[in-house]
Amino acid sequence: MLCSKASLSDNHGLLEIIREHKQFFLELPQEVTILLDNGYQKRYLEEEIEKMEPLLRNKIIIEISKKITPEQKAKSKKENPQKQGFVVIAKRWIVERTNAWINQCRVLWKNCEGLIKTSQTKIRICAIRLILRRIA
């Protein structure tokens, strides 16, 4: 997890996380898929990961969730005319749902912390709470 300045791009933030946890990824017995939204550039990330550590390229798979197409939206509307707007896209829902769960933590309602470490800790506590609720 990484909290950063708003001026840092999503791509650079992810690369910083991977850089911080490079050893973790290298020691994994299997490959890991990182599912991202359309704010990320797959080719750029793959190239930068390979520059960082060539072995990481075989451990980390970057997958960008697809945007809804006009055809999917039209099909959904045709199948259920009462339904407006939202259309489920297989893996994109995972990303959006996770963000929504994190945003439900009252502690995060407004980010007015003076230190990034404090924000990171609050996000970590919310994530732990979510995991504990799922396994309980």
Side-chain angles (χ1 to χ4, degrees):
M1 178 183 60
L2 174 74
C3 289
S4 62
K5 298 184 281 185
S7 61
L8 188 68
S9 74
D10 292 341
N11 290 321
H12 290 101
L14 177 61
L15 290 171
E16 190 60 36
I17 290 171
I18 292 170
R19 208 171 278 115
E20 275 185 33
H21 302 286
K22 183 169 53 171
Q23 199 58 40
F24 167 79
F25 289 109
L26 289 171
E27 291 172 0
L28 286 173
Q30 75 282 351
E31 57 190 31
V32 172
T33 299
I34 299 178
L35 181 61
L36 304 167
D37 66 17
N38 289 283
Y40 294 85
Q41 298 164 331
K42 181 179 179 173
R43 184 175 293 140
Y44 171 75
L45 289 169
E46 290 171 342
E47 289 170 0
E48 291 300 312
I49 289 169
E50 190 153 357
K51 285 180 195 173
M52 194 184 309
E53 175 68 54
L55 293 175
L56 274 178
R57 185 64 189 93
N58 299 326
K59 292 287 188 171
I60 299 174
I61 312 268
I62 301 293
E63 187 176 329
I64 306 291
S65 62
K66 293 179 173 61
K67 282 187 175 180
I68 186 166
T69 63
E71 294 80 25
Q72 287 173 311
K73 196 164 193 163
K75 181 182 176 192
S76 176
K77 194 165 190 160
K78 186 177 179 182
E79 290 172 358
N80 188 354
Q82 312 310 41
K83 190 175 179 183
Q84 292 292 323
F86 185 78
V87 178
V88 175
I89 300 175
K91 292 187 179 177
R92 183 166 180 87
W93 181 241
I94 298 168
V95 174
E96 300 300 332
R97 180 187 62 202
T98 304
N99 289 339
W101 285 341
I102 293 288
N103 287 332
Q104 284 179 351
C105 289
R106 292 186 71 193
V107 143
L108 299 173
W109 73 275
K110 186 175 181 184
N111 192 3
C112 52
E113 303 303 327
L115 300 172
I116 287 180
K117 284 278 188 204
T118 307
S119 294
Q120 287 176 330
T121 302
K122 286 183 175 184
I123 293 169
R124 203 170 264 134
I125 289 169
C126 287
I128 290 168
R129 191 188 89 191
L130 288 168
I131 292 168
L132 289 174
R133 283 186 173 176
R134 300 289 179 268
I135 62 174

